[in-house]
Amino acid sequence: MEVFIQQCINALTLGGLYALIALGYTMVYGVIQLINFAHGEFFAAGGYIGVLLLGVMTAMGLMESAPWMCLGVSLLLTMLYCAFLAMGVERIAYKPLRKQTRLAALISALGMSIFLSNGMMLARGPLDQPYPLEYSSGGFEFGLITINNLQIVIWVLTAVLLVALNLLVFRSRIGMAMRAVAQDKVMSALVAINTNRIIALTFAIGAGLAAAAGIMVGLYYGSVRYDMGFVPGIKAFAAAVLGGIGNITGAMIGGLIIGAVEVFGAAYISGEYKDVFAFIILIAVLYFKPTGIMGENIDDTRV
Amino acid sequence: MKKMKRSVGVVAVLAVALMSGAATAETLKIGMMGPLTGPYAADGNDIANGVRVAIEVINEAGGIEGFDTIELITQDTACDPKQAVAAANNLINDEVVGVVGAYCSSSTIPASETLAEEDILMLTPASTNEMVTDRGLPYMFRVCGRDDDQAPAAVRFMKEALGAKTVFIVDDKTTYSQGLADGVAASSKEMGLEVLAHEHVNQGDKDFSAILTKAKAAAPDVLYMSLQNHSSGSLMAIQANRMGLDAAILSQDAMFHPNFINVAKEAAEGVYVTFGYTDESTEAYKQFADKFSAQYGDIGAYAIYAYDAATVLLNGIKQAGSTDPAKIKEAIMAMDFQGASKQIKFNEKGDSGSSYIAFKIENGEYRPYWHPETGYYQ
């Protein structure tokens, strides 16, 4: 029983991280029907910028006195950086292709993904970049069960970001504009919505969430590497499809389910087929219910 | 028209002069293959740099008679068997005399088959799987140790030095990591160490919480961690430490890399690693280490074996006075010298012997801890 609860805790942590990444896929798909395969690279870039900023703050001696504030500042700056990075990528790689076939943009996305990950390798080398481990040192123990401080941080941060995103999309004017652009770009432009700006903003928000996940992964696992975006990116994509691509609530649920399937699959069936479980789900969903759990096109919740 | 004829004549004379110049300026080409990109890029680049240092040392000692320059051609295998065969074919087209590589046993084995068709020598600095030299290829040599020596050494260490009764084995399913883990499981049975479980994870996984939760529940004396790469190893060590796993952690040669400690930090403390013993007080080691660290920084696990492999190849060519593989092989088989890594002498299979001891990580350094013959180090 204790082992089961521990595995639930593991699953919730992993699932939350997948959910944060999956949201970026789903939002971009909702607005311009593009699977942004470079999205995993925003996640990796977040991890890299995070380790750089924390390194600078350590060098300045701020880590000693206010470690959690350093983390908060790094998190904000990293999210901001990746938001701008995503807007740049959108401008260079996707916007010129918006009137072309969807395949052209998809190939451009794959190219951008390879470009960004190799760019990170050239800039920072092929070795893992170590993260400070101080944040993950404390925690709680109940018998065999351990909950790490950082796991709690991940849960809280994930929850806060998810709520904030929901408020933004469903309760604000910008969110309304996003939903409008998702439904009909021409019509939105006619009612004076700046569609280009809304699309750029969608990329920025998605990348910001992925960047937050990137820092959390770096802190939780202790290191980041230039190619870290690929596998989580694909799994988050599976999560987005599972939830119903284009659907925000679906992406959150999908992320949690993929995390749970992986952890329980590894725990109770076999560790070596961990990745297989996630992708079996992807194939099964595409085969039996391509619109996903929440449905692709429930007009109001689609962004 | 006359003027043009003359200029043609000048060009022709120049061309002949250049060609004859090329005929006297001989270039010796040797190849290196390993994972220069992808998850194992760090190890692959260590190997390439080790070879570069060996070439530098030979050049400083006067080079090789009959050749003006030694050219190194590097090929990326990305630790992928298919790409390794393509890399071998590229090196064949470049007409290299010998190849140092590859890193992953799963690359070395198919690549060596391709190179063998053209009688090109191959010296692996890092592939420890038994099959590398057990297939009877005439021109395959190995400078590092063998897994069927490493596995019993590891089990004896667990039993004799750690006094362990139970072990929990994890591998990540590569030819190397699973081969070694299977060897440890088999040796454990023979020597009466109980294997509580033998679990597998995937190459490149980041999250080991599910497997480690299982390990914690099984409460073994030792967690035997057989992973392809120090990058996954450091993540597993961190997570095991955080989860409060009581077991001692024993790992293998792939964890012998400075970045394992850089990433895992405190979690690396107390981790045991089996690796070939290198006497750092020899002249050969110092010569290598000074040159290497001045140019490339930290010395990775296999840089030193790559250096020795390239030295063996280049000295073989030098002593044979020929690029004929049979003659080079004869020269290599006659060698018995103190390399930077160990005393090097090849047996008929092409192996140069293993010297596995257990290291313990203490204060951020690998310290020799236990020798199978002489027991604990002081």
Side-chain angles (χ1 to χ4, degrees):
Chain A
M1 189 60 201
E2 279 172 324
V3 173
F4 178 78
I5 294 171
Q6 179 73 56
Q7 300 288 21
C8 287
I9 291 167
N10 299 338
L12 194 59
T13 313
L14 193 63
L17 293 170
Y18 284 150
L20 281 179
I21 311 172
L23 283 168
Y25 274 109
T26 230
M27 288 172 69
V28 167
Y29 184 86
V31 171
I32 56 171
Q33 284 77 51
L34 165 74
I35 312 280
N36 179 17
F37 277 114
H39 189 64
E41 264 49 64
F42 300 146
F43 159 76
Y48 262 72
I49 300 297
V51 77
L52 277 178
L53 289 173
L54 287 173
V56 168
M57 289 181 187
T58 312
M60 286 164 66
L62 294 171
M63 283 293 268
E64 298 279 312
S65 48
W68 292 102
M69 197 195 75
C70 285
L71 179 59
V73 172
S74 309
L75 188 68
L76 281 177
L77 288 176
T78 305
M79 289 173 74
L80 209 59
Y81 175 88
C82 287
F84 280 108
L85 177 70
M87 287 197 275
V89 166
E90 195 267 335
R91 191 65 166 269
I92 295 166
Y94 307 139
K95 196 175 166 209
L97 297 171
R98 208 172 285 155
K99 298 235 159 43
Q100 310 297 325
T101 61
R102 280 161 68 179
L103 200 57
L106 196 70
I107 292 167
S108 185
L110 284 171
M112 208 62 205
S113 159
I114 295 168
F115 172 80
L116 288 173
S117 91
N118 283 289
M120 281 184 271
M121 183 182 90
L122 290 174
R124 303 291 299 161
L127 284 176
D128 303 58
Q129 308 283 316
Y131 255 83
L133 293 178
E134 286 75 22
Y135 295 104
S136 54
S137 51
F140 304 93
E141 274 193 51
F142 311 98
L144 268 179
I145 304 164
T146 50
I147 301 177
N148 190 261
N149 278 344
L150 203 62
Q151 286 180 311
I152 299 170
V153 172
I154 291 175
W155 298 337
V156 171
L157 184 78
T158 309
V160 167
L161 288 174
L162 294 185
V163 170
L165 182 71
N166 262 308
L167 288 178
L168 180 83
V169 171
F170 298 112
R171 297 271 184 278
S172 75
R173 283 177 66 85
I174 292 176
M176 197 190 286
M178 280 171 131
R179 284 178 287 146
V181 172
Q183 281 181 14
D184 192 330
K185 269 185 266 312
V186 178
M187 199 58 211
S188 328
L190 284 176
V191 295
I193 293 172
N194 186 338
T195 48
N196 281 333
R197 192 177 294 165
I198 293 295
I199 291 171
L201 193 69
T202 311
F203 270 88
I205 293 172
L209 296 174
I215 287 207
M216 288 300 132
V217 162
L219 286 171
Y220 187 58
Y221 296 118
S223 71
V224 289
R225 201 169 55 190
Y226 68 95
D227 63 351
M228 69 186 262
F230 181 68
V231 174
I234 299 284
K235 286 192 186 146
F237 171 64
V241 171
L242 171 63
I245 189 139
N247 185 308
I248 289 187
T249 322
M252 298 176 197
I253 296 173
L256 291 173
I257 294 179
I258 293 281
V261 164
E262 256 193 57
V263 168
F264 289 111
Y268 295 107
I269 306 175
S270 161
E272 59 191 311
Y273 291 115
K274 197 177 93 170
D275 291 348
V276 177
F277 300 129
F279 296 128
I280 283 177
I281 291 202
L282 177 63
I283 294 167
V285 169
L286 287 174
Y287 194 80
F288 295 108
K289 196 170 189 307
T291 51
I293 297 176
M294 301 294 288
E296 182 180 5
N297 225 339
I298 306 167
D299 42 18
D300 228 23
T301 55
R302 178 176 147 192
V303 164
Chain B
M1 194 63 206
K2 204 173 182 184
K3 209 175 181 182
M4 192 174 159
K5 259 187 188 159
R6 198 194 300 161
S7 59
V8 169
V10 170
V11 169
V13 169
L14 270 177
V16 170
L18 277 175
M19 271 157 64
S20 60
T24 54
E26 280 279 345
T27 302
L28 174 66
K29 288 181 182 170
I30 64 167
M32 172 271 156
M33 63 163 80
L36 300 175
T37 61
Y40 312 117
D43 305 279
N45 284 297
D46 281 340
I47 291 173
N49 292 337
V51 175
R52 289 191 182 105
V53 173
I55 292 175
E56 204 178 294
V57 168
I58 291 274
N59 277 334
E60 276 173 21
I64 295 176
E65 210 178 318
F67 299 99
D68 296 313
T69 48
I70 302 170
E71 187 189 344
L72 175 67
I73 298 166
T74 56
Q75 285 286 335
D76 183 15
T77 60
C79 192
D80 170 31
K82 291 190 292 294
Q83 203 170 324
V85 171
N89 280 316
N90 287 342
L91 291 172
I92 289 171
N93 291 336
D94 286 329
E95 300 184 334
V96 298
V97 177
V99 175
V100 175
Y103 169 73
C104 299
S105 297
S106 48
S107 292
T108 307
I109 292 170
S112 62
E113 306 266 346
T114 309
L115 292 173
E117 288 168 17
E118 301 293 325
D119 289 341
I120 293 174
L121 294 107
M122 187 179 202
L123 298 92
T124 180
S127 300
T128 48
N129 189 270
E130 300 88 43
M131 288 307 289
V132 170
T133 48
D134 279 0
R135 294 161 301 153
L137 294 179
Y139 297 119
M140 181 79 229
F141 298 91
R142 164 154 47 203
V143 182
C144 53
R146 287 168 61 98
D147 285 342
D148 53 1
D149 293 327
Q150 182 165 202
V155 176
R156 277 191 58 195
F157 170 71
M158 289 190 269
K159 259 188 77 92
E160 293 171 25
L162 299 180
K165 299 208 162 33
T166 54
V167 58
F168 189 100
I169 302 175
V170 180
D171 72 58
D172 62 357
K173 289 194 303 185
T174 67
T175 308
Y176 157 72
S177 68
Q178 189 168 2
L180 184 56
D182 289 344
V184 167
S187 295
S188 298
K189 275 206 190 83
E190 275 169 31
M191 298 188 210
L193 186 68
E194 191 190 348
V195 180
L196 295 178
H198 184 167
E199 291 284 344
H200 310 278
V201 295
N202 293 304
Q203 269 191 86
D205 271 356
K206 265 180 132 43
D207 191 291
F208 302 112
S209 55
I211 290 290
L212 290 171
T213 301
K214 263 182 161 176
K216 191 178 176 187
D221 292 332
V222 182
L223 172 71
Y224 187 76
M225 185 167 92
S226 179
L227 303 174
Q228 179 72 37
N229 182 259
H230 55 87
S231 166
S232 328
S234 50
L235 298 180
M236 193 180 277
I238 290 172
Q239 290 170 39
N241 175 279
R242 191 184 291 158
M243 204 167 261
L245 188 75
D246 279 333
I249 297 179
L250 173 64
S251 193
Q252 16 70 318
D253 48 323
M255 276 342 113
F256 199 89
H257 193 288
N259 217 42
F260 175 72
I261 301 174
N262 290 345
V263 172
K265 300 188 189 82
E266 308 94 81
E269 290 294 310
V271 169
Y272 302 99
V273 172
T274 50
F275 191 62
Y277 175 67
T278 290
D279 183 355
E280 297 190 356
S281 65
T282 63
E283 277 308 307
Y285 178 82
K286 283 182 193 153
Q287 188 182 21
F288 158 77
D290 289 349
K291 276 210 158 48
F292 189 95
S293 34
Q295 295 178 62
Y296 307 112
D298 281 347
I299 300 172
Y302 286 107
I304 184 165
Y305 287 102
Y307 170 81
D308 276 344
T311 305
V312 166
L313 175 63
L314 293 169
N315 278 333
I317 297 169
K318 192 172 186 174
Q319 286 159 20
S322 154
T323 54
D324 176 15
K327 287 190 181 142
I328 301 172
K329 180 176 182 178
E330 208 175 301
I332 289 178
M333 293 306 283
M335 284 179 186
D336 187 359
F337 72 105
Q338 175 65 48
S341 61
K342 61 180 181 185
Q343 186 73 24
I344 292 177
K345 179 172 172 33
F346 292 97
N347 65 17
E348 65 288 350
K349 272 186 179 172
D351 280 315
S352 56
S354 310
S355 52
Y356 287 107
I357 65 161
F359 289 79
K360 183 178 188 181
I361 299 174
E362 276 175 335
N363 303 320
E365 275 181 48
Y366 294 92
R367 289 187 187 283
Y369 183 71
W370 186 81
H371 191 288
E373 306 307 323
T374 54
Y376 296 97
Y377 285 87
Q378 289 308 308

